[in-house]
Amino acid sequence: MVYKGGDKNDKDKRIMGNEANEKPSTMLRVATFIVDRRNLFFLLFGIAIVFSLIAANWVKVENSLSAYLPDDAETSIGLDLMADEFITYGSAKVMVMNISYTDAEELSEKIELRDDVSMLSFDNTKEHFNNFSALFDITFVYPEDDERALAGLDEIKEMLSDYDIYVSTSMGDAAAEQIASEMQVVSVIVAVIVLTVLIFTSQTYAEVPVLILTFLASAALASGTNFLLGTISFVSNSVTIVLQLALSIDYAVIFCNRYKEEHASLPIREANIIALSKAIPEISSSSLTTVGGLIAMMFMQYGIGKDMAICLIKAIFFSLLSVFLLMPGLIMLFGNAMDKTRHKDFVPKIPFIGKFDYATRHIVPIIFLVAIIAACILSNRTPYVYGYSQLTTPVQNETQLADEMITESFGDENFVALIVPTGDYINEKRLLEELERHPQVKSTQGLANTEAMDGYMLAYRLTAREFSELMDLDYEVAELLYVAYAVDDENYAKVINGLSSYSVPLIDVIMFLYDEVEEGYVTLDDDLYNDLTDAHKKMEMAKNQLKGENYSRMLVYLDLPEEGEDTFAFLDEMHTIAKRYYDGNVYVIGEATSQYDLKKTFDIDNTVVSVVSILAVLAVLLFTFLSAGMPVLLIAVIQGAIWINFSFPTLMQDNIFFMSYLIVSSIQMGANIDYAIVISGRFMELKNQMSKKEAIIETLNFAFPTIVTSGTMMVLAGFFIGQLSSDGAICGIGQCLGRGTIISIFLVMFVLPQILLIGERIIDRTSFKVSMVPLIEHRVGIVAVDGYVRGQINGRVLGEMHARVIGEVNAVVRMGSAEEISDDNIDNYIEEDHRNA
């Protein structure tokens, strides 16, 4: 039914109240302002959207997971220290397949002659040539964050374009670009799905563009304002828009349904105002459970939780803003088209589910109790991992394929950097030798065991005579050089007592000699100068990488996987060993350490997120239902869904990235509980108006369109993220979110109704609604009545009532029923009314 006709002044009075007798409510005044000033809001949103589309290019994205570790984590401290103390040069592993060793050797020599290549490792060992495949370890003369290193790698790829090659490097943002490309595909697919679902669940075709435009506006505002956060994680940047759609489309659907209900008896403008005045508090309340679940993520030590929570909460805020300020204007624009494009309801009624739930009300809760106990036990055994090495994804990007091919042919490489106080080459040598005696260590590299020339190590100490022989330098010149070095080092005792036994590390004397030559204090012949220059260049790069002002860095190559109890135990042992040689701070930095730190944060974050999300949602539900029993029952259902969801990885023996659990459990608790609220709220409203069986059937018929709309979007969004993303973290979030939403929908449709049927007495008895002393209300004009009514009503009634009317009823009753009471009981009702009067 669509309202037609009526005088405008009369309609305004019906909406706003009789001015002489009753002032309109604050919410009505706000709604009227928004609807009537829609052109102003169109202008403001247009400006904001244009700005957001421009500002979206300003967003900085962090692609490293370790960047979000707590500041006091060893990895965070070590990475900051290495950035200050050392230079990490650009490097790459280039694998050339189907090539002979002779041809590979020629290629390696050709690459090594490049001016931008400082070192290339290649020989006839299985580490570099195996099964007609060559592996070139290339180090550039530029730092890894220098674009020239990446440009040099691109030129080498072009040089090898005629060969079958695979390249593995940490330089550039190839992985991030690949993820962004994948998520664009996911966004397009999800958009098509959303359009299809909205058409299927709509009652009029023209409401679909209203919903789509509302969401697009909120998405543009949310993504365009991310630059205000400074830097966001690649996870947040990738999935926020898709999750925003899945989380917040409900708000627009709720408002649209409200409008259609009001428009059945009111014209477009008035129906819009009334619907908006009712939708603002209703939708705001609904959003609190989602926000409550997301707030739990902000308490995580691991910074990606806070990063993603802020991005999603901001996205929800803009969704609310778009629904409350933009959508009313869009309804005014599309209102007539919505009236003309009405169609039959495609969403079927589901009375059979309600009948099944009622028939199994004494059986299903017992089964559910057993199931969630088992699920709790299984979910606590979920095989979490903290890095990507043990994860598999349905699709693989070029980087993953290259790493896999290189690992298959030449094995995996797992190394960590050991950071110790600088200056003590003797202890460094002893430490490296002790580490190499452990079976967990393949090899080590530091200044103390890196060859410089003719078998001498960089840190090997040479006397003046030994140095003169090594460099083919006159002994007198070498002696004068050592005197100058001793003076510069303020070691005057050696100058006085003689230099015969005075020894200096090779790297230090070479660096000192080069400086003296450059400053003109020492003159060398051309050949010797060229040798010195070459030696200085190599040693300078080695020093930049391995020796800082305060710390020295050593590389330890492990014969262990990147993560696992054995790996983590040996990292602790490395600290113990290093502490025997150094009194200062010692750090072990690498992928293995990063994952060890992630494991430590997860042990705490897991508990914090679970407790805070439950408490946040519990607080919202307490104020929503004013009952202690209802929140406990609802949270039990959704927490049960979470446990069941994360039992699957245990049963399937499928590793899951730890972050996927933290994020999905928060979203599942905050968002999926809305389905339970819709069913519970409707049932509690209807249970006193009709039989329990009819109430549960009517409740599920009412809730099913809302659940199928948002639930389908959430499930399919998660599914496509999980199937089309090559990133292990993002893939895990999608898979778990899609599976978890299916489980939540199943439980609220086939388990929650039975729990409500047998638990309604507990809910009523634990209610803490305040009983107020009834006051007789005397109003004239348009009077809004809400609640139990006893007394006389004169005039035409339009609205929702919960009352027993003694008299004649001529009305259309929607979402309820009007039933005649038997003659045997009517006298009892009359007598009760007289007693209460």
Side-chain angles (χ1 to χ4, degrees):
M1 171 180 172
V2 179
Y3 177 90
K4 294 183 180 180
D7 180 74
K8 182 181 186 303
N9 292 331
D10 179 59
K11 287 181 275 185
D12 287 345
K13 289 180 181 179
R14 292 175 61 198
I15 298 303
M16 303 303 294
N18 187 309
E19 189 174 343
N21 298 291
E22 183 180 0
K23 291 184 178 180
S25 69
T26 301
M27 199 58 68
L28 274 174
R29 291 199 298 269
V30 170
T32 303
F33 176 81
I34 293 172
V35 172
D36 290 344
R37 299 292 185 272
R38 55 189 176 275
N39 290 331
L40 171 62
F41 289 110
F42 285 154
L43 176 62
L44 293 176
F45 268 86
I47 295 172
I49 290 171
V50 171
F51 173 80
S52 296
L53 293 176
I54 297 173
N57 298 317
W58 305 342
V59 179
K60 296 179 181 178
V61 180
E62 174 58 62
N63 298 312
S64 173
L65 292 175
S66 60
Y68 291 92
L69 283 165
D71 291 339
D72 58 352
E74 182 176 20
T75 299
S76 298
I77 297 172
L79 289 174
D80 291 341
L81 187 150
M82 288 199 299
D84 295 336
E85 293 275 329
F86 311 107
I87 295 177
T88 301
Y89 290 96
S91 63
K93 291 180 179 295
V94 178
M95 175 180 171
V96 182
M97 300 186 68
N98 302 316
I99 189 172
S100 67
Y101 178 77
T102 302
D103 291 341
E105 191 173 32
E106 291 178 0
L107 283 178
S108 69
E109 292 172 354
K110 187 176 179 181
I111 295 172
E112 195 169 14
L113 289 174
R114 292 176 56 90
D115 293 336
D116 54 4
V117 173
S118 66
M119 183 172 61
L120 186 146
S121 297
F122 176 73
D123 53 36
N124 195 11
T125 64
K126 285 190 175 182
E127 285 73 23
H128 291 104
F129 189 81
N130 189 32
N131 294 328
F132 294 98
S133 294
L135 181 64
F136 303 140
D137 283 323
I138 303 171
T139 302
F140 294 91
V141 297
Y142 306 114
E144 64 177 355
D145 56 355
D146 193 316
E147 290 295 328
R148 290 175 295 181
L150 198 57
L153 179 59
D154 289 337
E155 291 177 8
I156 292 173
K157 289 181 184 178
E158 182 65 26
M159 181 192 305
L160 303 176
S161 59
D162 293 336
Y163 297 90
D164 187 10
I165 66 170
Y166 293 91
V167 179
S168 176
T169 181
S170 60
M171 297 189 299
D173 295 323
E177 293 171 359
Q178 178 68 29
I179 292 170
S181 175
E182 292 168 354
M183 293 312 298
Q184 288 176 358
V185 174
V186 171
S187 298
V188 171
I189 294 175
V190 171
V192 173
I193 292 169
V194 167
L195 186 62
T196 304
V197 171
L198 290 178
I199 292 174
F200 176 75
T201 57
S202 67
Q203 295 175 336
T204 167
Y205 292 117
E207 74 185 60
V208 176
V210 172
L211 298 174
I212 294 295
L213 289 173
T214 302
F215 172 73
L216 290 177
S218 64
L221 294 174
S223 61
T225 53
N226 281 335
F227 79 95
L228 297 173
L229 304 178
T231 300
I232 64 173
S233 70
F234 73 94
V235 179
S236 300
N237 188 58
S238 300
V239 302
T240 295
I241 289 182
V242 178
L243 292 183
Q244 178 187 2
L245 170 63
L247 289 172
S248 61
I249 195 69
D250 274 358
Y251 310 148
V253 171
I254 289 172
F255 177 37
C256 188
N257 289 340
R258 273 289 184 187
Y259 163 76
K260 287 183 290 186
E261 288 179 10
E262 299 298 335
H263 188 43
S265 55
L266 290 172
I268 294 174
R269 174 181 174 272
E270 286 71 20
N272 204 357
I273 293 172
I274 293 294
L276 183 59
S277 68
K278 293 180 179 179
I280 289 176
E282 181 180 353
I283 294 172
S284 299
S285 176
S286 174
S287 69
L288 289 178
T289 55
T290 303
V291 172
L294 295 174
I295 285 176
M297 293 165 57
M298 298 181 67
F299 287 85
M300 290 168 53
Q301 292 185 87
Y302 188 41
I304 276 190
K306 182 178 180 180
D307 176 82
M308 195 164 185
I310 292 175
C311 287
L312 285 174
I313 290 173
K314 180 168 64 68
I316 289 173
F317 168 76
F318 281 115
S319 295
L320 294 174
L321 210 61
S322 298
V323 169
F324 296 155
L325 301 181
L326 177 64
M327 190 171 170
L330 293 175
I331 288 178
M332 295 299 294
L333 285 179
F334 287 86
N336 290 327
M338 291 171 67
D339 292 341
K340 295 176 182 178
T341 58
R342 297 181 68 85
H343 59 76
K344 68 175 183 178
D345 195 350
F346 297 128
V347 180
K349 298 294 183 181
I350 51 169
F352 58 91
I353 295 181
K355 293 176 182 178
F356 171 82
D357 291 345
Y358 184 80
T360 58
R361 63 190 183 279
H362 297 299
I363 301 172
V364 168
I366 297 173
I367 298 175
F368 176 65
L369 179 62
V370 175
I372 62 172
I373 292 174
C376 179
I377 296 172
L378 289 173
S379 65
N380 286 328
R381 298 175 181 175
T382 300
Y384 298 112
V385 295
Y386 307 92
Y388 288 178
S389 61
Q390 298 183 40
L391 290 175
T392 57
T393 55
V395 295
Q396 289 184 309
N397 57 43
E398 290 183 6
T399 301
Q400 291 170 324
L401 287 172
D403 290 339
E404 184 177 311
M405 293 298 294
I406 292 174
T407 299
E408 185 178 326
S409 296
F410 299 99
D412 200 6
E413 186 177 81
N414 177 25
F415 69 92
V416 294
L418 179 58
I419 313 298
V420 299
T422 193
D424 192 340
Y425 295 126
I426 295 176
N427 275 338
E428 180 176 324
K429 180 181 180 182
R430 292 172 179 171
L431 172 58
L432 293 175
E433 288 174 348
E434 180 172 350
L435 287 173
E436 287 185 343
R437 288 196 292 269
H438 284 74
Q440 297 93 333
V441 177
K442 288 182 180 179
S443 62
T444 63
Q445 182 182 0
L447 288 177
N449 67 354
T450 298
E451 183 177 349
M453 56 179 65
D454 296 342
Y456 287 97
M457 303 300 169
L458 286 171
Y460 195 91
R461 303 182 72 90
L462 299 178
T463 63
R465 184 169 298 282
E466 289 172 330
F467 181 72
S468 68
E469 294 173 354
L470 173 65
M471 297 296 297
D472 196 18
L473 184 68
D474 289 341
Y475 175 70
E476 291 76 10
V477 175
E479 192 173 37
L480 288 174
L481 178 67
Y482 268 58
V483 170
Y485 183 89
V487 172
D488 186 71
D489 196 37
E490 298 182 356
N491 196 345
Y492 303 110
K494 292 295 183 183
V495 178
I496 296 172
N497 298 328
L499 298 172
S500 59
S501 61
Y502 181 40
S503 60
V504 179
L506 176 58
I507 185 173
D508 292 344
V509 72
I510 287 288
M511 304 298 286
F512 182 75
L513 174 59
Y514 182 82
D515 292 339
E516 294 294 295
V517 171
E518 291 297 303
E519 292 176 10
Y521 298 122
V522 177
T523 303
L524 303 176
D525 61 50
D526 291 343
D527 290 340
L528 189 56
Y529 178 74
N530 290 334
D531 291 342
L532 176 64
T533 301
D534 291 340
H536 175 269
K537 181 180 179 181
K538 294 179 180 179
M539 292 184 186
E540 180 73 16
M541 290 193 67
K543 183 179 179 182
N544 288 340
Q545 295 181 83
L546 301 175
K547 183 180 180 182
E549 183 177 350
N550 302 299
Y551 287 89
S552 290
R553 174 165 62 176
M554 294 168 273
L555 302 181
V556 181
Y557 294 84
L558 303 177
D559 191 16
L560 291 167
E562 282 189 356
E563 69 174 286
E565 292 304 322
D566 292 341
T567 302
F568 298 154
F570 187 68
L571 294 178
D572 289 334
E573 188 174 352
M574 285 181 64
H575 282 90
T576 302
I577 294 171
K579 282 291 185 181
R580 291 204 290 263
Y581 296 94
Y582 295 92
D583 296 329
N585 293 326
V586 172
Y587 304 98
V588 180
I589 311 300
E591 283 297 326
T593 311
S594 175
Q595 292 164 30
Y596 194 16
D597 285 337
L598 291 173
K599 181 181 185 300
K600 293 174 184 176
T601 64
F602 176 70
D603 293 339
I604 299 174
D605 288 344
N606 188 13
T607 302
V608 170
V609 168
S610 299
V611 172
V612 174
S613 62
I614 289 174
L615 290 178
V617 173
L618 180 64
V620 174
L621 295 178
L622 282 172
F623 285 100
T624 300
F625 291 101
L626 299 178
S627 167
M630 179 67 85
V632 173
L633 294 179
L634 297 189
I635 288 177
V637 172
I638 300 303
Q639 185 60 54
I642 294 173
W643 285 333
I644 294 172
N645 186 14
F646 289 96
S647 297
F648 278 81
T650 304
L651 295 172
M652 299 167 63
Q653 296 184 342
D654 187 17
N655 293 333
I656 178 172
F657 195 57
F658 78 103
M659 189 174 66
S660 302
Y661 170 79
L662 294 174
I663 292 174
V664 171
S665 61
S666 297
I667 294 175
Q668 194 173 348
M669 175 59 73
N672 291 174
I673 204 165
D674 281 349
Y675 308 151
I677 291 174
V678 171
I679 290 178
S680 303
R682 192 66 178 178
F683 174 75
M684 296 305 291
E685 180 182 332
L686 296 178
K687 71 184 182 69
N688 294 324
Q689 301 177 25
M690 56 188 73
S691 69
K692 302 296 185 295
K693 182 177 182 180
E694 292 173 337
I696 207 65
I697 293 173
E698 182 62 34
T699 293
L700 293 179
N701 282 333
F702 166 80
F704 183 64
T706 301
I707 294 174
V708 76
T709 301
S710 63
T712 301
M713 293 178 188
M714 183 83 84
V715 169
L716 294 177
F719 173 79
F720 282 107
I721 290 174
Q723 292 299 312
L724 299 179
S725 176
S726 60
D727 181 86
I730 296 174
C731 174
I733 291 173
Q735 290 174 341
C736 295
L737 186 61
R739 183 178 61 232
T741 303
I742 293 175
I743 294 169
S744 295
I745 293 174
F746 178 83
L747 292 185
V748 298
M749 296 295 291
F750 291 96
V751 175
L752 178 62
Q754 291 91 323
I755 292 176
L756 292 174
L757 285 167
I758 66 172
E760 55 145 336
R761 292 183 180 178
I762 298 175
I763 297 170
D764 290 338
R765 290 177 181 177
T766 57
S767 173
F768 48 86
K769 292 181 180 179
V770 179
S771 299
M772 304 295 292
V773 177
L775 298 176
I776 297 176
E777 299 283 350
H778 178 69
R779 297 287 186 272
V780 178
I782 306 298
V783 181
V785 180
D786 183 17
Y788 176 78
V789 179
R790 181 176 60 83
Q792 294 182 336
I793 297 178
N794 297 317
R796 184 166 177 235
V797 176
L798 176 65
E800 183 175 334
M801 293 182 61
H802 307 291
R804 292 169 294 183
V805 178
I806 301 175
E808 184 177 2
V809 175
N810 293 302
V812 175
V813 181
R814 292 182 294 112
M815 302 307 294
S817 62
E819 298 180 358
E820 291 187 4
I821 299 172
S822 65
D823 294 338
D824 297 335
N825 294 329
I826 193 166
D827 291 335
N828 294 333
Y829 284 113
I830 295 174
E831 183 179 351
E832 179 184 353
D833 182 69
H834 286 312
R835 285 199 307 271
N836 294 332

